[in-house]
């Protein structure tokens, strides 16, 4: 995948935009570097602004003239303008309020279908992941702990770390939330069966599972052998006891 085919949308929509450039100048920059004339580039810029829900007549305005949600739409337009195959979105809605988050997520969902572009979506919010993703990869300290179809991983997690993430995620139901909170606290209070303590620190040894010190079902093998990914139903899981 070339640099033109791969684009990025960053977390902070303001710091990722040059405050000294108009929106039009920001959008056409990658096109001009690839040899497209300024007139053609501006036409394309107006087109993508319409696709992300912005008025094309705002092309001469500066980032400071827009709200956070609008600035993130501009960042998405900048990523779309080269017609990439893949867009990496690094926590693209975490800096926005909830109502704006929903608008941007709906926009991304529509764009994925209309533009035929793939999204690699990085997030810590499981609800966001569930809304937008077909497949999910759960990482802990840089290691893949679980990977598979989104619904399977979220509804039936196999790795202890994934189970903890799901139990910790809030839900808009007070009774269910209380049950999930209780389950999460129980997971946190369980002692590690090998060390006898629950530790947030990285293991003091190398070669074992990175989640060993926090896991309530770990055994001696977990402290010495890093579990490889293996298939459990339709999900790949890195756990000796999954």
């Amino acid at each position: 995948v070339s640099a033109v085919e791969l684009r990025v949308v960053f977390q902070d929509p303001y710091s990722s935009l040059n405050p000294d450039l108009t929106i039009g100048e920001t959008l056409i920059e990658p096109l001009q570097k690839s040899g497209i004339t300024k007139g053609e580039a501006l036409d394309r810029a107006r087109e993508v602004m319409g696709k992300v829900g912005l008025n094309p007549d705002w092309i001469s305005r500066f980032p400071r003239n827009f709200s956070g949600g609008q600035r993130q739409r501009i960042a998405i337009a900048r990523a779309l303008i080269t017609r990439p195959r893949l867009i990496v979105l690094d926590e693209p809605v975490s800096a926005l309020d909830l109502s704006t988050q929903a608008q941007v997520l709906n926009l991304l969902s529509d764009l994925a279908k209309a533009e035929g572009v793939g999204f690699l979506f990085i997030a810590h919010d499981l609800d966001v992941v569930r809304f937008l993703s077909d497949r999910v990869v759960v990482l802990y300290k840089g290691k893949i702990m679980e990977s598979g179809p989104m619904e399977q991983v979220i509804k039936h997690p196999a790795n202890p770390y994934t189970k903890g993430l799901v139990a910790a995620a809030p839900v808009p139901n007070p009774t269910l939330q209380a049950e999930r909170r209780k389950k999460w606290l129980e997971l946190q209070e369980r002692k590690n069966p090998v060390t006898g303590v629950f530790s947030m620190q990285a293991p003091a040894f190398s070669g074992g599972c990175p989640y060993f010190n926090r896991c309530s079902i770990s055994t001696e093998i977990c402290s010495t052998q890093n579990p490889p990914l293996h298939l459990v139903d339709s999900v790949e899981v890195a756990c000796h006891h999954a």
Side-chain angles (χ1 to χ4, degrees):
V1 180
S2 69
V4 174
E5 295 175 312
L6 174 64
R7 308 296 289 173
V8 181
V9 176
F10 298 98
Q11 178 176 357
D12 186 345
Y14 191 76
S15 63
S16 66
L17 299 173
N18 189 329
D20 296 325
L21 297 181
T22 66
I23 298 309
E25 290 170 332
T26 294
L27 293 178
I28 69 174
E29 184 178 20
L31 296 181
Q32 288 188 293
K33 288 186 178 297
S34 61
I36 296 177
T37 66
K38 184 175 181 179
E40 292 175 322
L42 284 172
D43 289 340
R44 173 65 179 158
R46 292 188 179 93
E47 178 188 346
V48 296
M49 285 186 70
K51 288 182 177 180
V52 299
L54 296 174
N55 188 334
D57 293 336
W58 296 345
I59 201 168
S60 60
R61 296 184 181 183
F62 290 88
R64 60 179 175 270
N65 301 130
F66 296 90
S67 67
Q70 289 173 328
R71 286 195 290 263
Q72 197 62 297
R73 289 173 185 265
I74 294 166
I76 295 169
R78 180 178 56 182
L80 282 174
I81 200 165
T82 59
R83 296 187 174 93
R85 292 171 55 194
L86 177 67
I87 297 178
V88 179
L89 302 111
D90 183 11
E91 297 275 10
V93 297
S94 62
L96 308 176
D97 62 66
L98 289 178
S99 61
T100 307
Q101 281 187 20
Q103 295 171 15
V104 173
L105 288 172
N106 285 324
L107 171 65
L108 290 172
S109 179
D110 293 340
L111 288 173
K113 300 170 186 174
E115 300 296 314
V117 61
F119 288 149
L120 176 58
F121 195 89
I122 303 169
H124 66 278
D125 189 326
L126 291 181
D127 286 334
V128 170
V129 172
R130 189 170 188 172
F131 177 81
L132 201 61
S133 304
D134 298 312
R135 296 184 61 83
V136 62
V137 176
V138 179
L139 295 173
Y140 180 73
K141 296 187 180 297
K143 176 180 171 58
I144 297 178
M145 307 300 283
E146 192 162 351
S147 173
M150 183 275 299
E151 285 293 336
Q152 179 69 18
V153 172
I154 299 300
K155 290 185 176 179
H156 306 287
N159 189 286
Y161 176 62
T162 312
K163 291 180 180 180
L165 286 181
V166 172
V171 292
N173 182 316
T175 302
L176 182 58
Q177 174 63 15
E179 294 176 357
R180 290 165 69 92
R181 179 65 178 169
K182 181 180 178 181
K183 183 184 296 185
W184 170 242
L185 290 173
E186 288 175 352
L187 286 172
Q188 297 300 297
E189 290 171 356
R190 290 179 186 174
K191 291 185 177 181
N192 183 289
V194 178
T195 64
V197 296
F198 175 90
S199 175
M200 295 289 287
Q201 302 297 318
F205 44 78
S206 59
C209 175
Y211 192 60
F212 163 71
N213 275 16
R214 299 183 62 185
C215 185
S216 60
I217 63 170
S218 59
T219 58
E220 289 292 346
I221 191 175
C222 305
S223 67
T224 57
Q225 296 183 27
N226 199 342
L229 284 170
H230 62 279
L231 201 62
V232 177
D233 294 328
S234 59
V235 176
E236 286 189 301
V237 185
C239 178
H240 292 297
H241 307 296

